[in-house]
Amino acid sequence: GGTGDLNIPGPEAAVVKTGATPITPGDLLVDPYPIGMLDDTDMNLYNLDGMYFKNTDEVRNHPIYTEGIGDPRWRR
């Protein structure tokens, strides 16, 4: 010990792993981003009316959708 190195994961730890078929939150859900994301007013508030799957071929054919991954409330 005592080297001064911190046990902190690198940037790869922040990468969202979506399997063989990557999809962004914006492509998957209608409005997945916090209300204050652009103006930094409150990053803890979400537009819950936008937290559901988009009705697109990309989403309907994606493993997240076809395998029922995620919150069941995302399906409408």
Side-chain angles (χ1 to χ4, degrees):
T3 64
D5 292 336
L6 298 175
N7 188 14
I8 298 175
E12 67 279 354
V15 173
V16 176
K17 296 172 178 66
T18 58
T21 313
I23 190 168
T24 66
D27 288 337
L28 183 66
L29 299 168
V30 171
D31 188 5
Y33 302 109
I35 291 171
M37 183 173 179
L38 297 178
D39 59 13
D40 292 329
T41 54
D42 193 339
M43 293 289 289
N44 296 311
L45 296 175
Y46 285 85
N47 175 15
L48 297 181
D49 291 332
M51 294 290 286
Y52 62 93
F53 289 129
K54 287 183 175 179
N55 187 17
T56 63
D57 287 340
E58 180 183 23
V59 172
R60 287 190 305 271
N61 295 317
H62 196 278
I64 290 175
Y65 185 87
T66 61
E67 296 178 23
I69 298 169
D71 193 318
R73 294 173 291 184
W74 294 350
R75 296 174 178 269
R76 287 191 177 177

